[in-house]
Amino acid sequence: MNKLKILNDPIYGFITIPNSLIFDLIEHKYFQRLRRITQMGMSYLVYPGAHHTRFHHAIGCMHLMQKAINVLRFKGVSISDDEEIALNIAILLHDIGHGPFSHAMEHSIVSSISHEQISLLFMEKLNDEFNGSLTLAISIFKGEYHRNFMCQLISSQLDMDRADYLKRDSFYTGVAEGNINSERLITMLSVVDDELVVENKGIYSVEKFLVARRLMYWQVYLHKTSVVAEQLLIRVLKRAKELSHNNVDLVASRALSYFLKTEINETNFDMHTLETFAKLDDYDIISAMKEWQYHDDFVLRNLCEMILNRDLLKIKVKKKKIKKSELKAQEKEMMAAFDISEAEADYFVFKGEITNQAYQQNGQQIKILYKSGKIEDIVKASDQLNLKALSKPVTKYYICYPKAKL
C-alpha cells in the first residue's frame, strides 16, 4: 500500500506525508477524530467560513515543520533522521487532546486537566501501540529533550503551531490582517547555542507576525460575539452536567453521557476515560443541543436555543471593571421577568475579562541574530515603537445579559 500520500491544502498547496509511520498515525482513529473538531470553536457564528478543523491545522503544522528542518539543515544545523521524524510527529500530534469546539470542554465537563495533558496521554497510548516509536517525539513535546531549539519549534512564541494557525485562521475567516508570511519567517530561522533565532533580515516579518497576532486576537479570537457564544456553550455543558448529577435524564451520545455523569479530573483520567474521550467530538454536542432545546429545564432549553438559532445574549465590552451593582440589577430584572432563582439567572447574567498579549518579554523570547553575531530580543531590535506596547497585556471587561425577551 502506498503510504507516501500527497494532500492538497488550500493554504500551502501540495503537502507530502514524509514516511509510513506518520501515514499510519494520520490514519489512526485518534487522529481522524480531529476532522470532527472545529479549529476555531464558535467563531463560525461571526465568520461563516471558519469551519476548518484541527485536522487541517495539524497537517499544516507538519508541513511547516518539514520546511523548518530543511532550512536549518541547509544552514549547517545537524538534525538526525530520528530527530526529524520525532519533530514531525510531535507537531502533528500537539493538538490531538482537544475536545469538542476546541476549548469549551476544558472549562465545563472536564476539570483541572488541559488539552495539552490529554494530548500527552494520547501520545503515550500511541507510543505503546507503535512499539515505542514515539518516545523521542514525546520527549520533545514535553520540553525535556536536550536540544532546546527542537522544543522551541513545537512550543514557543514563534513555533510552527502559531505560524500555521494565524495564516490558516486568517484565510478561513477572510480577515486579511492576520495573513503572515510563514514561509519567509521559517526561511529566516537559525540556531545559536541551541536556541532558535531569526536572522536580522527577517525582523520585519517578525514584526508583521506579532502585529497580526494582536489584531487576530481582538478581531477574531476575542471578538465579542465569539466570546459570548463560547461562554454559552460552556454553560450548556455545565447545566447538563448539573442536571445529570441530580439524576435528570438527558438524551446524549454514550461518550457525552459518560462525561456528564462522571466527575472527571486529572487524577482519574484513566485509559477508559481516554478511550471514551476519543469518541467525543463536535457532533455529540450539536446533536445533544438539538434534543435539549425541547427540555423542560428553563436554563438548558434557552441556552441551547440561543446557540442553535444564533440568538445570543447581549454583550458589552468595557475598559473598566464591571460594577457588581450593574450585574445585580440585570440579575434581578431577569429573576423577576421569568420567575427563576438567582442560581438559574447566573447562567444568563455574568461578567468576565479578556486579555490580549501579543508578545511576552519574560517568556521564551524571539531573538534576532545580527551578522556580527550579536543577539537581541525583538523588542529591543525593532525600530517599531508599538512592539513594546504589544508586550504589555491589555485587559478588557465584559458583561452578558439577555436581550429584551428570551
Side-chain angles (χ1 to χ4, degrees):
M1 185 179 175
N2 175 23
K3 294 188 174 184
L4 300 179
K5 297 280 185 191
I6 291 174
L7 305 173
N8 196 351
D9 182 75
I11 312 291
Y12 310 117
F14 292 114
I15 293 177
T16 307
I17 295 174
N19 58 57
S20 58
L21 171 58
I22 285 175
F23 177 87
D24 289 337
L25 286 169
I26 290 170
E27 286 282 275
H28 197 281
K29 63 182 181 181
Y30 292 166
F31 192 80
Q32 288 294 317
R33 181 185 76 99
L34 297 183
R35 291 182 186 271
R36 303 185 301 277
I37 305 283
T38 314
Q39 169 75 11
M40 292 180 64
M42 307 301 290
S43 293
Y44 68 89
L45 292 176
V46 183
Y47 299 99
H51 276 289
H52 55 303
T53 65
R54 291 273 159 193
F55 184 92
H56 282 121
H57 167 57
I59 298 286
C61 289
M62 182 193 70
H63 173 72
L64 293 183
M65 182 63 81
Q66 288 173 267
K67 293 222 171 245
I69 290 165
N70 290 338
V71 163
L72 294 176
R73 277 179 171 164
F74 180 74
K75 292 179 183 178
V77 180
S78 74
I79 298 171
S80 70
D81 290 345
D82 285 346
E83 286 171 332
E84 178 184 6
I85 292 167
L87 281 166
N88 280 318
I89 290 171
I91 199 68
L92 183 75
L93 303 180
H94 78 283
D95 270 349
I96 201 169
H98 267 293
F101 292 101
S102 293
H103 291 283
M105 281 284 290
E106 291 172 70
H107 305 290
S108 51
I109 56 178
V110 175
S111 56
S112 73
I113 182 162
S114 67
H115 71 269
E116 290 92 352
Q117 290 168 288
I118 300 172
S119 291
L120 187 57
L121 291 171
F122 273 126
M123 288 168 82
E124 285 166 350
K125 180 77 166 60
L126 287 166
N127 199 29
D128 291 340
E129 286 185 36
F130 286 85
N131 304 314
S133 51
L134 279 72
T135 304
L136 183 54
I138 289 170
S139 175
I140 294 171
F141 178 79
K142 289 166 79 174
E144 293 174 354
Y145 194 53
H146 67 278
R147 304 191 75 185
N148 190 45
F149 78 90
M150 293 191 178
C151 304
Q152 289 175 325
L153 284 168
I154 305 295
S155 179
S156 66
Q157 295 200 73
L158 189 55
D159 55 28
M160 298 306 103
D161 176 30
R162 292 181 185 191
D164 180 80
Y165 79 63
L166 281 175
K167 194 170 181 67
R168 190 169 296 278
D169 296 349
S170 160
F171 176 86
Y172 280 98
T173 56
V175 176
E177 289 85 350
N179 188 11
I180 58 163
N181 191 342
S182 48
E183 306 239 348
R184 177 165 169 79
L185 275 170
I186 289 167
T187 307
M188 295 297 118
L189 290 177
S190 192
V191 174
V192 175
D193 296 334
D194 207 34
E195 293 280 327
L196 211 56
V197 294
V198 181
E199 292 170 3
N200 72 312
K201 56 190 172 183
I203 193 166
Y204 302 120
S205 298
V206 177
E207 288 176 351
K208 170 78 164 65
F209 167 79
L210 293 174
V211 171
R213 184 170 148 78
R214 177 182 177 274
L215 293 174
M216 281 295 282
Y217 267 86
W218 282 137
Q219 209 168 324
V220 179
Y221 309 126
L222 299 176
H223 187 289
K224 64 177 189 174
T225 307
S226 298
V227 169
V228 71
E230 182 156 306
Q231 286 299 322
L232 284 173
L233 182 60
I234 289 166
R235 281 160 171 75
V236 162
L237 295 171
K238 277 188 173 173
R239 183 59 171 179
K241 187 158 191 169
E242 190 182 316
L243 292 171
S244 294
H245 283 196
N246 291 329
N247 298 316
V248 175
D249 200 30
L250 293 178
V251 178
S253 67
R254 284 186 192 182
L256 182 54
S257 290
Y258 172 81
F259 283 97
L260 292 177
K261 290 171 183 173
T262 317
E263 197 59 54
I264 299 297
N265 54 44
E266 196 178 349
T267 51
N268 66 352
F269 204 103
D270 56 17
M271 278 304 130
H272 171 66
T273 305
L274 190 70
E275 280 300 325
T276 311
F277 188 86
K279 294 180 175 71
L280 202 58
D281 55 52
D282 291 7
Y283 296 96
D284 295 78
I285 308 298
I286 292 287
S287 301
M289 287 196 297
K290 285 174 78 176
E291 287 292 333
W292 297 345
Q293 67 179 325
Y294 305 112
H295 200 274
D296 293 340
D297 182 70
F298 175 88
V299 174
L300 188 65
R301 180 177 71 250
N302 280 289
L303 290 175
C304 291
E305 281 181 355
M306 283 177 173
I307 294 172
L308 292 172
N309 303 327
R310 201 193 176 276
D311 185 12
L312 309 171
L313 294 172
K314 192 170 180 62
I315 177 169
K316 280 187 179 175
V317 179
K318 301 181 177 184
K319 289 182 180 177
K320 291 183 177 178
K321 287 188 177 181
I322 308 296
K323 291 176 182 171
K324 206 170 182 180
S325 58
E326 193 179 345
L327 195 72
K328 285 290 171 193
Q330 290 291 348
E331 209 170 59
K332 274 185 180 176
E333 208 174 298
M334 174 91 193
M335 288 161 67
F338 299 100
D339 191 24
I340 56 173
S341 68
E342 188 177 338
E344 288 172 316
D346 283 346
Y347 279 96
F348 301 93
V349 181
F350 51 86
K351 61 178 181 172
E353 59 183 60
I354 45 178
T355 303
N356 187 355
Q357 186 175 10
Y359 181 65
Q360 292 176 314
Q361 271 190 287
N362 55 358
Q364 285 193 333
Q365 297 171 340
I366 298 174
K367 293 176 179 175
I368 302 298
L369 171 68
Y370 294 93
K371 282 187 177 175
S372 63
K374 179 187 170 188
I375 293 173
E376 204 169 37
D377 176 56
I378 179 66
V379 173
K380 283 188 179 175
S382 172
D383 57 7
Q384 205 172 321
L385 294 171
N386 69 348
L387 273 205
K388 197 157 194 175
L390 289 186
S391 63
K392 290 176 182 168
V394 177
T395 302
K396 292 182 182 179
Y397 305 91
Y398 65 84
I399 179 170
C400 298
Y401 52 88
K403 293 169 187 171
K405 61 180 190 301
L406 285 178

